[in-house]
Amino acid sequence: METDLPELLRSLRVWDPAVTELPPLDPADAPGDPLQLFTRWFAEAVAAGEREPHTVSLATSDDEGLPDVRVVMLHGADADGWAFATHADSRKGRHLAARPYAALAFYWPVLGRQVRLRGPVALAPAEEARADLHARSTGALAAALTGRQSAELASTDELARASEAAWERAEREPDAPVASWTLYRLRPAEVEFFQGEARRRHVRLAYRRAQDGGWDRRLLWP
C-alpha cells in the first residue's frame, strides 16, 4: 500500500502537549551574552530528556554560493565560538576553505526551542583538534581513520573492509593521528533564540554582535 504523503503530513502535529513543554521566555530576564542563555537552554534540553541535543544542522555554501546542509555534533561552545569537527578534505571542509562562513541550527522539540547562529568560521589549532578527537570514543576515532568522507564509494564491501581496518588500528593505537581531522569554530555574528508558544505567539530574541565586541538585542516577529 502506497503512503499518501499529503494525508500523512496533515495528520501530524507539532509540540504534542503529551510530550512537549513550552516554557516561557521573558526577554527582560535574558542574559546579555548569548553563550550564557545557550548553555542554560542546552542543560534544560538535556534535563528534559531531549534525544541527542548536541546534534546541530550545519549550513555551508560551495564555491558557486549554492547552499548545503547536514547534521553534525557540537563539540563545545565558549568565548571562542561553537565548535564542530570534520575532515578538511570532506565536502563541508572544502566549502569552509573556500567560504569560511556558516550557519548552525539547533532544534529541541521537547521544549519547543530553536537556536540559530551564523558567522565566520576559523580553524582551531591542530593540537586542539588532536586532543578533541582522542578524547572521543574508539568508534569516533575509527570513523576518522576510515577517512575519504564525501568521496565516491565503489561498494559497501569496500567501506566494510576500510572500516574494519580502521577499527583494528583505533583499538591498537588509541592515539593514532588523523592528519585531515580538523576542529572548526563558528564565532557568531548573530544568535537567535526561538521559544514556541501554544497560541503561536512565539518569542524570537535575536543577539547581534556590536562593534565593541558586545551584543545588541532585539525582538523579532514570529
Side-chain angles (χ1 to χ4, degrees), residues 129-170:
R130 286 194 297 270
D132 175 78
L133 176 59
H134 294 130
R136 300 176 67 203
S137 67
T138 301
L141 176 58
L145 286 167
T146 302
R148 290 178 275 181
Q149 190 176 68
S150 304
E152 187 171 332
L153 177 66
S155 70
T156 55
D157 288 341
E158 181 184 17
L159 172 60
R161 289 192 297 270
S163 175
E164 189 63 32
W167 270 92
E168 290 176 1
R169 186 179 178 194

Side-chain angles (χ1 to χ4, degrees), residues 26-110:
D26 184 351
D29 291 337
D33 188 329
L35 178 59
Q36 297 177 32
L37 184 54
F38 176 84
T39 302
R40 182 195 307 167
W41 273 26
F42 187 86
E44 290 173 355
V46 173
E50 186 68 68
R51 299 184 65 181
E52 301 184 1
H54 57 318
T55 56
V56 55
S57 296
L58 165 67
T60 58
S61 55
D62 64 17
D63 53 7
E64 296 180 355
L66 299 176
D68 204 350
V69 66
R70 75 289 287 162
V71 177
V72 299
M73 285 202 311
L74 180 70
H75 286 224
D78 55 27
D80 293 326
W82 274 247
F84 57 92
T86 189
H87 292 279
D89 54 0
S90 68
R91 179 181 295 176
K92 52 189 173 293
R94 296 193 303 271
H95 287 182
L96 291 169
R99 293 173 177 262
Y101 203 94
L104 298 172
F106 295 87
Y107 180 44
W108 300 317
V110 72

